[in-house]
Structures are given as C-alpha cells and as structure tokens.
Amino acid sequence: GQQLNQSPQSMFIQEGEDVSMNCTSSSIFNTWLWYKQDPGEGPVLLIALYKAGELTSNGRLTAQFGITRKDSFLNISASIPSDVGIYFCAGQGSAGGTSYGKLTFGQGTILTVHP
Amino acid sequence: ETGVTQTPRHLVMGMTNKKSLKCEQHLGHNAMYWYKQSAKKPLELMFVYNFKEQTENNSVPSRFSPECPNSSHLFLHLHTLQPEDSALYLCASSQGGWDTEAFFGQGTRLTVV
C-alpha cells in the first residue's frame, strides 16, 4: 500500500524557534492534511491542502502541497510551549478506487518545546 | 470539541469479555472510520463506512466487528481480544466519498488483560 515517510521523528527546540517538518511519498497524493495530537486526545486537523503548489497558513502554521504531489511540509513559526505534541501528515492517494475514502498517515513528529 | 464523541474514554477488559466502543458524530457527515493507534506506529485504518456501507476492511481480525446503524453512529464490537490489541482506538468522520478531511474523536484507551 501507499506509505508516507515523515521526518524528523522528534524535535527538541527552544521557545521562540521556528520548526519545520515534512512528509514524502513514492506515489502521488491528491490531498495532504496536517494534524496535531495532544497526549490522551485524538488528532486535530490543522491545515488541509488540495492543490499542487498550494501554500496555506493557519496562524503561526504554514503548510505547502509539493509541486510533484509527492511531498508536503509544515512550518511553525515562533514556537510556544503549547505547540508541544505529535504532528501527523496524512494524505489521500490517487491510486484509483483503492484510495477511495482512505487516508494514509505518516509516523508522526514528536515536538518538545523548552521554555 | 470536534463534533465526534467516543465512549468510553478508557476500557479495561479481559480476554474472554465482550465489549463495545461507541462513536457518534454531530457534523452531518456521511463517512465514519475506525483507526487503531499503537505506540510507535502510524495510525492504522481498520474500517471505513461511506453512506452506511462498509467500503474498507483493512484485514482486521474477526474479533473486531464494526456496526454502522446510521450515518451518525458507529460501533466497534470486541470479543476474545488479545493483549496486543491494547491501543488507542480512534473514531473519525468526514463528508464522505473522496472527501477524507477527517475529524477525530478523543479515542478510547483500551487495555486487554
């Protein structure tokens, strides 16, 4: 099946620093989504991307849908302690009917922010 | 509050027990999903229902049995589970069809003893 490679696996940063994480795939995706998960909670949707090259912001978060449709990145600017959590990328592939109604998730990036 | 509610939040069950997880969405969506999240693994899709029809069973063992009586409710019936089935079980919903912008519930933390 389709797989997403998300990196880095973890990040330890100081408050105020910018953060960047990305996802890559060997196959094309039609949709890229970025989620954040706090401990003991379900993932919460941060940003959704639907077009190749699309750049979308949500407050201090910015995400882009790669031109090749095989990658996406998420940037967080001026990090704060509440940014701590696990960030997941997710995508819906274009493999015809096999991708219908399904998301593939990356392994997650664990973000720790030191005050 | 994402509009997707899961109960219970925590569940401990023996290997011979039968229990059910419940999910309800108040978003008017037409698709509902069950995911399994184990430590150090990506979210694993288990089942997909689109317009109440099961469109995906991702090779899930038969000791997990889903039920979708209507587009707002989804159940996961559990019986004779194994300790390795202990995980966070997440329910999600989306508009349906090719729209997979999923909204998740808070999950049920399941421990099998």
Side-chain angles (χ1 to χ4, degrees):
Chain A
Q2 295 178 313
Q3 290 185 323
L4 291 180
N5 296 309
Q6 185 172 348
S7 64
Q9 289 189 347
S10 60
M11 301 183 75
F12 297 84
I13 63 170
Q14 290 294 129
E15 183 177 359
E17 289 183 0
D18 296 343
V19 172
S20 184
M21 59 193 79
N22 68 82
C23 270
T24 60
S25 172
S26 59
S27 53
I28 290 173
F29 280 77
N30 288 332
T31 302
W32 285 96
L33 307 173
W34 284 93
Y35 289 86
K36 181 192 177 194
Q37 186 176 23
D38 291 327
E41 303 290 332
V44 174
L45 182 63
L46 299 173
I47 293 180
L49 302 160
Y50 296 102
K51 294 182 182 178
E54 180 181 356
L55 184 70
T56 298
S57 293
N58 178 6
R60 294 178 295 105
L61 277 61
T62 302
Q64 184 159 30
F65 192 140
I67 288 290
T68 64
R69 295 168 62 192
K70 294 183 179 181
D71 63 330
S72 177
F73 72 75
L74 174 70
N75 287 341
I76 305 172
S77 63
S79 59
I80 58 178
S82 62
D83 290 333
V84 165
I86 305 176
Y87 291 80
F88 291 98
C89 63
Q92 178 178 301
S94 61
T98 61
S99 297
Y100 181 74
K102 293 193 295 186
L103 284 177
T104 300
F105 280 82
Q107 303 97 318
T109 295
I110 301 171
L111 178 63
T112 303
V113 180
H114 294 288
Chain B
E1 176 59 50
T2 62
V4 180
T5 304
Q6 288 185 244
T7 54
R9 291 292 309 274
H10 302 273
L11 178 63
V12 179
M13 60 185 289
M15 289 188 285
T16 58
N17 291 159
K18 289 184 180 181
K19 296 286 184 183
S20 295
L21 309 185
K22 179 183 176 182
C23 178
E24 183 174 1
Q25 59 95 1
H26 307 276
L27 300 170
H29 287 165
N30 297 300
M32 297 189 78
Y33 312 80
W34 280 116
Y35 284 87
K36 177 183 178 182
Q37 187 177 31
S38 304
K40 300 183 180 179
K41 285 187 177 181
L43 274 75
E44 300 172 57
L45 179 65
M46 300 174 72
F47 302 103
V48 180
Y49 279 83
N50 264 288
F51 299 90
K52 296 190 296 179
E53 295 289 326
Q54 187 181 124
T55 55
E56 179 76 15
N57 176 339
N58 197 20
S59 302
V60 181
S62 60
R63 57 186 183 269
F64 295 90
S65 175
E67 178 189 1
C68 188
N70 54 62
S71 58
S72 299
H73 294 86
L74 184 65
F75 296 89
L76 187 62
H77 303 300
L78 316 170
H79 64 97
T80 59
L81 294 191
Q82 305 298 312
E84 58 265 29
D85 296 322
S86 299
L88 182 68
Y89 288 85
L90 291 161
C91 171
S93 70
S94 73
Q95 288 286 359
W98 284 99
D99 184 332
T100 52
E101 193 171 311
F103 293 80
F104 284 83
Q106 293 174 301
T108 295
R109 172 66 63 184
L110 174 68
T111 303
V112 181
V113 297

